[in-house]
Amino acid sequence: MRSAGWTSRSDRPFQKQVSLTTRIISEFSSISERDWACLDHADNPFLSHAFLAGLESSGSIGSQTGWWPHHLALFEDEQLLAFAPSYIKAHSHGEFVFDWAWADAYHRHSLPYYPKLLSAVPYSPVTGPRLLTHADHPRADELRQQLVSLARAEC
């Protein structure tokens, strides 16, 4: 899929001046299946639209579980170009990172460790991509860098 103004990697450098907007998505269900399908998520079943939307609709994530959706997204006009599934956490329950020692060290030094921003698949040690970009975008690396910058700004 190509969008007007994009060139392939073998063509001339990307010429169109892109105006990106950043958005924090608090409801994954607001992302359409069609837009999600345009992102390169390596066919990872834990990054499928049905799975991520199902976590929300089943109540597996949300304020009652300590997994608040805080997804990072980049749009050009209304087209989704990049996305990082992310959650705000007030504790480390349900994670496979095992950062209890870090949380304890912060607590002993009277420093706040929570809330934290986590880009992961909830309740799962599953690996896979987390900085998803539009499959045909010629500057996917730059989009991933912008997602990282947005994550840092949110922290």
Side-chain angles (χ1 to χ4, degrees):
M1 172 189 271
R2 291 177 66 133
S3 179
W6 294 6
T7 61
S8 74
R9 294 174 203 260
S10 62
D11 293 339
R12 296 179 319 206
F14 188 63
Q15 298 294 318
K16 184 179 177 186
Q17 190 73 336
V18 176
S19 176
L20 295 178
T21 57
T22 60
R23 295 185 195 162
I24 303 302
I25 308 294
S26 60
E27 294 181 12
F28 183 79
S29 58
S30 69
I31 302 295
S32 75
E33 289 184 53
R34 181 175 170 258
D35 287 344
W36 189 253
C38 291
L39 298 180
D40 181 7
H41 34 74
D43 293 325
N44 185 316
F46 296 100
L47 292 174
S48 71
H49 191 277
F51 181 81
L52 292 173
L55 288 173
E56 262 183 29
S57 64
S58 69
S60 297
I61 61 170
S63 61
Q64 70 285 0
T65 65
W67 290 85
W68 289 281
H70 197 83
H71 307 297
L72 311 177
L74 300 174
F75 287 82
E76 180 183 18
D77 298 319
E78 293 302 311
Q79 182 178 13
L80 178 64
L81 294 184
F83 192 95
S86 306
Y87 302 88
I88 292 179
K89 296 286 308 246
H91 55 67
S92 294
H93 300 287
E95 297 174 30
F96 288 84
V97 175
F98 304 119
D99 61 351
W100 298 104
W102 283 104
D104 182 57
Y106 270 69
H107 178 73
R108 283 185 281 125
H109 289 78
S110 300
L111 297 170
Y113 187 73
Y114 303 105
K116 64 181 180 178
L117 183 65
L118 177 69
S119 184
V121 175
Y123 310 110
S124 166
V126 173
T127 61
R130 298 295 181 264
L131 303 175
L132 312 177
T133 61
H134 193 283
D136 291 338
H137 201 281
R139 294 198 173 172
D141 289 339
E142 290 175 30
L143 292 173
R144 284 189 283 276
Q145 286 298 319
Q146 289 183 334
L147 284 174
V148 169
S149 294
L150 178 56
R152 286 181 175 164
E154 285 299 297
C155 288

